[in-house]
Amino acid sequence: DNYLYSISYNHRGAPKTWYGVGSQNADFFESVMKEHLPELFEEQPDLLHHLITMFSPAELHQKGVPVSTAIQNPGEFMITFPRGYHSGFNNGFNIAEAVNFATPDWVTFGSSSIEAYKKVSRASVFSFEEIIIRAIQNEYDRESLLWLLKQLKIMKQRERKSRERLLARGVRRCVAWRSSNVNKTCISKPCSTCNSECFFSAVSCNCSPNVITCMDHFTSYCNCPPEDKFLFMRYSMKKIQQLISNIEERLLQSLSDTDLSPSHNTNNNNNTNNNNNNNNSSFSSPHKVIMLNEDDDINKYSPPLKKVKLT
């Protein structure tokens, strides 16, 4: 699940037996699995992302893969970390539940999961880019903002290079990508080739305007020339940089303030600072938080293009 953390709680009943391989040994674990089950991976490249295959922990241990084991009794929690492979079984009837969650440091793992999923055409649980954009506009914790800002800068550079590469290969037209064009509950749309969620941009063609791909696979679904294709673009690079600059200003302001919450009473700054000298987790800022709305200026820089409705 996009390398998310997970937490499991055993309410009552029989214990659960767990086996796990830490993320620091994930690459080694994957190579051993592929070496011993080549025919299964040939049939299903994303085999490791499905709950359909188990490999003996004893055999993994013999191959040098460190395997941990634990017993989860009723009333106990079990936490698995990002990209930590785990399996197990119930030792009888029980009542248990589990849920995924993310902490600020998950952002780096989340980014890695997107690249890994793309190689095997596995669909993501959610749009990673959309999560970052929405979170950074509503976050008031300094540590979280630093993690999110670092990732947003990486995403901006990747997006810029991809758009430049697309332009160099002959795709010259673009059209503003509106939320109304797609499912309102999730404004990203999967690439028809690799299943990665397209949020910042996507490519389509006059021959099949209801089909989109990411910028890496724009030649994969039809043989039309580049001039027949066009780029759906949700935000201009200028808008993305504007958001980055705004977040950087808020972080600079945080060096002298202690509370970024919009409800923070600036008239009581002195009292707040006196009571929270040791609290550096959040801060206030006189800077208005820029909400990254879909760019209204994109069409001004593009040749005219007939409207295309995505279904």
Side-chain angles (χ1 to χ4, degrees), residues 166-186:
L166 199 70
L167 180 65
R169 297 184 66 176
V171 179
R172 302 299 177 89
R173 298 185 299 163
C174 67
V175 62
W177 198 4
R178 306 293 184 207
S179 295
S180 58
N181 289 11
V182 293
N183 189 327
K184 293 182 180 180
T185 61
C186 181

Side-chain angles (χ1 to χ4, degrees), residues 137-142 145 250 260-262 281-283 289:
Q137 294 178 96
N138 295 282
E139 184 57 65
Y140 297 97
D141 175 77
R142 179 185 294 108
L145 272 176
R250 293 167 61 196
L260 179 63
S261 170
S281 64
S282 59
F283 51 90
V289 179

Side-chain angles (χ1 to χ4, degrees), residues 42-54:
E42 184 175 351
E43 294 177 6
Q44 193 166 16
D46 64 339
L47 180 69
L48 290 173
H49 300 294
H50 294 278
L51 304 177
I52 58 175
T53 306
M54 289 192 69

Side-chain angles (χ1 to χ4, degrees), residues 196-250:
S196 62
E197 290 292 327
C198 300
F199 176 72
F200 282 134
S201 53
V203 181
S204 191
C205 183
N206 290 336
C207 72
S208 49
N210 290 323
V211 178
I212 69 165
T213 68
C214 64
M215 288 187 282
D216 292 335
H217 296 114
F218 80 98
T219 62
S220 62
Y221 71 97
C222 73
N223 296 319
C224 298
E227 50 268 23
D228 286 351
K229 302 179 186 295
F230 52 90
L231 175 68
F232 279 117
M233 190 162 63
R234 198 177 304 280
Y235 309 119
S236 67
M237 299 310 300
K238 181 180 178 180
K239 266 290 184 64
I240 298 174
Q241 181 55 50
Q242 187 180 12
L243 176 61
I244 290 174
S245 298
N246 177 255
I247 299 301
E248 289 175 333
E249 288 180 9
R250 293 167 61 196

Side-chain angles (χ1 to χ4, degrees), residues 2-183:
N2 288 95
Y3 298 168
L4 286 161
Y5 285 87
S6 74
I7 182 168
S8 169
Y9 182 68
N10 189 350
H11 288 273
R12 62 178 63 184
K16 297 170 67 74
T17 297
W18 291 75
Y19 298 101
V21 176
S23 60
Q24 68 273 22
N25 296 302
D27 288 332
F28 185 27
F29 167 78
E30 291 175 3
S31 65
V32 170
M33 289 287 287
K34 292 176 181 178
E35 178 183 349
H36 286 78
L37 303 170
E39 66 285 351
L40 293 182
F41 281 93
E42 184 175 351
E43 294 177 6
Q44 193 166 16
D46 64 339
L47 180 69
L48 290 173
H49 300 294
H50 294 278
L51 304 177
I52 58 175
T53 306
M54 289 192 69
F55 201 84
S56 170
E59 291 188 45
L60 288 173
H61 185 72
Q62 291 176 358
K63 298 298 180 181
V65 179
V67 180
S68 301
T69 184
I71 301 296
Q72 182 188 13
N73 294 300
E76 294 180 344
F77 290 93
M78 181 66 69
I79 296 177
T80 61
F81 283 68
R83 210 191 171 197
Y85 284 98
H86 55 277
S87 64
F89 55 88
N90 297 317
N91 293 278
F93 291 105
N94 59 24
I95 299 176
E97 63 177 317
V99 67
N100 291 121
F101 68 96
T103 58
D105 67 312
W106 164 80
V107 169
T108 301
F109 288 98
S111 179
S112 299
S113 76
I114 300 305
E115 296 304 313
Y117 282 15
K118 196 167 188 173
K119 293 177 181 178
V120 294
S121 299
R122 176 172 173 78
S124 294
V125 178
F126 45 70
S127 169
F128 179 72
E129 293 176 344
E130 185 176 354
I131 287 287
I132 298 299
I133 288 296
R134 292 185 181 278
I136 204 169
Q137 294 178 96
N138 295 282
E139 184 57 65
Y140 297 97
D141 175 77
R142 179 185 294 108
E143 180 184 1
S144 299
L145 272 176
L146 288 170
W147 282 98
L148 292 167
L149 180 61
K150 179 181 178 181
Q151 184 58 43
L152 180 57
K153 289 181 177 180
I154 293 173
M155 288 160 49
K156 177 206 166 190
Q157 288 297 105
R158 183 181 301 146
E159 184 72 12
R160 179 183 60 80
K161 290 180 180 179
S162 295
R163 291 183 184 183
E164 290 176 350
R165 185 168 59 249
L166 199 70
L167 180 65
R169 297 184 66 176
V171 179
R172 302 299 177 89
R173 298 185 299 163
C174 67
V175 62
W177 198 4
R178 306 293 184 207
S179 295
S180 58
N181 289 11
V182 293
N183 189 327

